[in-house]
Amino acid sequence: MGLILYGRILSPFLARCVIAANAKGVAVDVQVPKGGIKTPEFLKLNPLGLMPVLKDGRTVLYESAAIVAYLDAKSRKNPLRPKTPKAVVQAGLPAAVTDNYVQGPAADLFRLKRGTAKNPVDPKAAGAALMKGLDVLEQTLAKGKYAGGAKISVADCYIPPALVFATHTAAIFALGDIFAGRPKLAKYWKGIQKDKAVKPVVDAMNAMMADALAGRLPPLY
Amino acid sequence: MIVYGSIFSPYCARVALAARHKGIKHTFAPPVGGGYKSPEFLKMNPLGKVPTMKDGKTVVFESAVIVDYIEAKSKKKSLYPKNAKDAASARMIGAVAGDYVHNTVSKLFAQMGPDRDQKAVEAVAAELAKYLDIAEKVIAAKPYAAGAKFTIADVFALPSLAFMELFVPLFGIVNPIGGRKKLARYMAKAKKDKLMGGVLKDMEDGFRAWQKSRGL
């Protein structure tokens, strides 16, 4: 029986796991949980009621960082966590900055537009936070093809899904071109979208994002 | 290794736990330039946050990245279980008992002023109870968070739970762990553990000094 990821590719947390699986050459089947992610059945898998959940035989895991680490250990191809202290930081920092300062405000703006925000969102503050997060990301990106340098790493699992959210929400809220004045990020985005592990995920997210914003895709929560 | 920040910040305590476990010498220091938003400090960390670490010429910020840096610095006493499933589980336990708990607790910082919104405090208490229930489910407490050994799960879980126990009583939330047996056992054992107990003591001392300085 193969690996199953419960959730939907539009979730940036699920998308990063799919990029990781693609990079590792591990097959995963993405399945949308029946009835969403707040049903008693789903809460049995993940009491937090969040996607993604990974099922590998009897092993059930949630939290994208844990799932990415698990997938990383599944095959020897493309280790996603470098070993030396310097390389660990070069890959880890852009991943952490994306996770903590880019993905959050971009998702807030997305939920505001979609009408699914649980807490009030101030679009000006969220837009400013997103721009600041992108500035720090620009500073932490390596110069190579990948975010951590010459090889694909955990950073390349985290950044592209966040940039899908950032490009769409920046357009909607008229925040301007997010790549203007951020040359490393611009070059990175252009290159990474051609990567075999990343392209199918970004394409699928973009298609689903359009549906979600047009009100054709009800949320799973 | 210099760590800018105060140990009672759970993010800084994560670094202290990892470094002490791995036997890496480090000192905590106040920010260069007189503040976390000073030009000197922002040059090191554009986010102006703690912890920020300097090791020779290497500057690293974001606690999880600093912890990974410390892990990579020496192979001895790894923070990760060898088995892939156990390592992933340890991360998961750390995320629930660490990140979700602290992200909820830190919402109370907005309620420190005289115009406290009691409804908002109650909402935080309810959310915290929900995450503590899940933490109770996933924590091993045998006696460490992920099992018989100190791991990355303790690095994330212990500082958040410890800060919670110090901070939330200021808002009338008494004994947040309550009757959750595994969490209670975990904290009781941690206090007696040389490494974890030492960090808990330093966190409490730092917290009390901060509390006094703020007149809380």
Side-chain angles (χ1 to χ4, degrees):
Chain A
M1 203 175 76
L3 275 67
I4 302 168
L5 265 177
Y6 291 104
R8 195 153 62 190
I9 195 85
L10 186 60
S11 154
F13 305 104
L14 185 134
R16 50 172 86 144
C17 298
V18 177
I19 295 175
N22 290 348
K24 299 298 293 181
V26 174
V28 290
D29 182 18
V30 176
Q31 293 188 7
V32 179
K34 268 186 201 148
I37 55 175
K38 304 294 176 190
T39 63
E41 292 76 20
F42 191 82
L43 290 173
K44 260 187 209 162
L45 294 173
N46 179 359
L48 294 163
L50 299 170
M51 55 187 148
V53 169
L54 178 79
K55 203 159 174 283
D56 181 13
R58 282 199 291 185
T59 300
V60 175
L61 288 167
Y62 47 90
E63 285 300 297
S64 60
I67 296 172
V68 169
Y70 182 79
L71 292 168
D72 196 14
K74 271 261 159 197
S75 88
R76 284 173 187 243
K77 192 178 166 190
N78 291 329
L80 297 172
R81 290 249 166 215
K83 295 267 186 284
T84 68
K86 209 178 160 186
V88 162
V89 172
Q90 186 49 67
L93 211 41
V97 168
T98 300
D99 200 18
N100 295 333
Y101 307 102
V102 177
Q103 182 59 56
D108 280 347
L109 290 171
F110 169 72
R111 284 189 286 257
L112 176 64
K113 169 72 184 169
R114 203 184 189 199
T116 55
K118 264 201 282 179
N119 300 311
V121 175
D122 171 2
K124 266 200 174 154
L130 175 59
M131 292 304 137
K132 166 85 184 165
L134 290 168
D135 282 340
V136 181
L137 179 58
E138 169 76 11
Q139 287 186 45
T140 55
L141 277 180
K143 282 200 183 114
K145 179 185 172 194
Y146 294 102
K151 288 179 183 169
I152 194 162
S153 75
V154 65
D156 305 296
C157 302
Y158 281 47
I159 301 169
L163 288 181
V164 170
F165 272 71
T167 48
H168 283 270
T169 52
I172 293 163
F173 289 91
L175 300 173
D177 177 6
I178 65 164
F179 301 106
R182 299 184 181 101
K184 278 197 285 177
L185 192 65
K187 196 169 161 233
Y188 173 77
W189 186 227
K190 213 176 157 195
I192 202 70
Q193 290 181 85
K194 293 177 195 150
D195 186 87
K196 288 204 297 285
V198 176
K199 187 179 190 306
V201 174
V202 168
D203 289 348
M205 286 183 82
N206 277 328
M208 223 179 247
M209 182 66 89
D211 280 345
L213 293 170
R216 292 191 296 262
L217 191 78
L220 291 174
Y221 41 86
Chain B
M1 181 185 286
I2 301 172
V3 185
Y4 296 100
S6 310
I7 196 166
F8 74 89
S9 141
Y11 300 109
C12 294
R14 291 173 180 179
V15 175
L17 273 172
R20 289 189 197 181
H21 173 75
K22 301 278 283 188
I24 289 168
K25 277 192 185 154
H26 61 286
T27 45
F28 277 88
V32 289
Y36 297 110
K37 308 294 172 191
S38 75
E40 288 94 325
F41 192 80
L42 288 174
K43 234 180 168 181
M44 293 172 67
N45 177 355
L47 295 159
K49 291 189 176 218
V50 298
T52 295
M53 184 224 68
K54 195 162 181 275
D55 185 22
K57 279 189 194 165
T58 306
V59 174
V60 186
F61 47 93
E62 290 295 294
S63 62
V65 186
I66 301 173
V67 168
D68 281 347
Y69 174 83
I70 289 168
E71 167 73 4
K73 258 187 91 91
S74 101
K75 287 193 175 171
K76 278 184 207 160
K77 298 178 87 174
S78 174
L79 293 167
Y80 290 93
K82 281 208 181 94
N83 171 295
K85 192 199 158 191
D86 293 344
S89 284
R91 271 177 178 273
M92 210 173 80
I93 294 165
V96 173
D99 293 326
Y100 286 91
V101 166
H102 187 65
N103 289 345
T104 304
V105 167
S106 59
K107 289 180 183 171
L108 292 172
F109 280 113
Q111 303 301 331
M112 282 184 27
D115 52 345
R116 178 179 296 170
D117 175 355
Q118 197 51 39
K119 275 219 170 113
V121 171
E122 279 161 25
V124 171
E127 191 184 310
L128 183 58
K130 175 185 128 183
Y131 289 131
L132 287 173
D133 282 342
I134 301 172
E136 172 73 7
K137 234 183 233 178
V138 298
I139 202 164
K142 283 181 174 178
Y144 295 100
K149 283 187 176 169
F150 180 87
T151 65
I152 191 78
D154 299 289
V155 169
F156 281 79
L158 184 71
S160 296
L161 294 171
F163 185 81
M164 170 190 79
E165 288 197 316
L166 292 166
F167 190 55
V168 305
L170 304 187
F171 302 86
I173 306 170
V174 186
N175 187 14
I177 287 178
R180 295 176 185 92
K181 282 184 188 152
K182 283 196 284 172
L183 285 174
R185 187 175 76 214
Y186 175 69
M187 292 308 284
K189 288 265 187 184
K191 277 175 194 134
K192 291 182 194 156
D193 181 89
K194 198 179 163 207
L195 167 70
M196 298 201 290
V199 170
L200 286 177
K201 174 82 175 56
D202 292 347
M203 282 184 81
E204 181 164 7
D205 291 348
F207 183 82
R208 296 296 172 219
W210 171 78
Q211 196 184 352
K212 209 174 156 192
S213 75
R214 296 287 300 253
L216 294 166

